Amino acid sequence: MSDAPFDLIDARDAFADSDWFHVCRQAQTPYVVVRSGETSADVLWDYVTLPPSCDALLRGHFASLENNARAIFERFAIPESQLRIKPTLICFDRLPFDHAKRAAAELHRLISTYLPDARTVSRGVPLPFESAAPAGDGTLGEPETPGLRRLWVEEQNRASSV
């Protein structure tokens, strides 16, 4: 396995039972994959490898998570790209392959900032994602106009239930 914080898979392959899935589940780390097709790639993060205790933490910071994920998407998307986001699943669909790998690394880093670690477990507060600034060489230029892309966002029920 590589040192990348994501797995590269072919779009025709199943990935729910891959070695990477088992590594992420065992380590309770974000499960991010890049599914490459013939002309583009999709980036997927799924909550499934994280412990149930992270659910409330991610949902409680969904607005921030959504804004930061959207910023990553905007930096790497092209007009044909699509964003799907909810508290337990984030997908960047139809990105150029090289952009998808960089977006996957940033998405993994983003999700990790919302998870408990040795410094935050006792307080139960995630480390904030400090910046949505582009990583890498900065050669991507300005993002395309978002109005040319389709966006799907699952709204969170904001009413508290007791």
Side-chain angles (χ1 to χ4, degrees):
M1 271 195 313
S2 75
D3 291 335
F6 56 86
D7 195 15
L8 291 171
I9 60 169
D10 188 276
R12 297 172 296 217
D13 295 338
F15 59 90
D17 198 29
S18 70
D19 289 342
W20 181 247
F21 173 83
H22 292 293
V23 166
C24 291
R25 175 166 268 174
Q26 181 72 24
Q28 298 183 342
T29 58
Y31 176 56
V32 178
V33 295
V34 174
R35 294 184 65 182
S36 61
E38 290 183 25
T39 60
S40 64
D42 300 335
V43 175
L44 167 76
W45 165 71
D46 192 323
Y47 173 84
V48 69
T49 60
L50 300 177
S53 60
C54 293
D55 187 47
L57 192 59
L58 290 168
R59 288 182 188 280
H61 295 278
F62 179 65
S64 174
L65 176 63
E66 178 187 357
N67 287 337
N68 287 309
R70 186 183 313 273
I72 294 169
F73 173 78
E74 288 297 327
R75 279 197 308 280
F76 297 106
I78 59 174
E80 295 80 24
S81 300
Q82 295 179 5
L83 171 65
R84 295 179 287 145
I85 186 168
K86 61 182 182 175
T88 59
L89 180 79
I90 297 173
C91 298
F92 303 155
D93 297 328
R94 298 184 185 124
L95 298 179
F97 183 69
D98 288 342
H99 292 198
K101 292 189 299 184
R102 291 170 54 197
E106 286 193 31
L107 183 59
H108 185 277
R109 191 177 101 226
L110 170 65
I111 300 302
S112 295
T113 64
Y114 289 91
L115 302 180
D117 67 12
R119 294 173 288 163
T120 63
V121 169
S122 62
R123 295 190 314 263
V125 177
L127 296 174
F129 186 70
E130 294 183 12
S131 171
D137 60 11
T139 59
L140 294 177
E142 293 298 314
E144 298 289 330
T145 306
L148 299 176
R149 293 186 207 101
R150 294 186 340 187
L151 172 65
W152 174 81
V153 177
E154 180 177 292
E155 288 296 322
Q156 180 178 352
N157 183 355
R158 305 234 185 253
S160 62
S161 59
V162 179

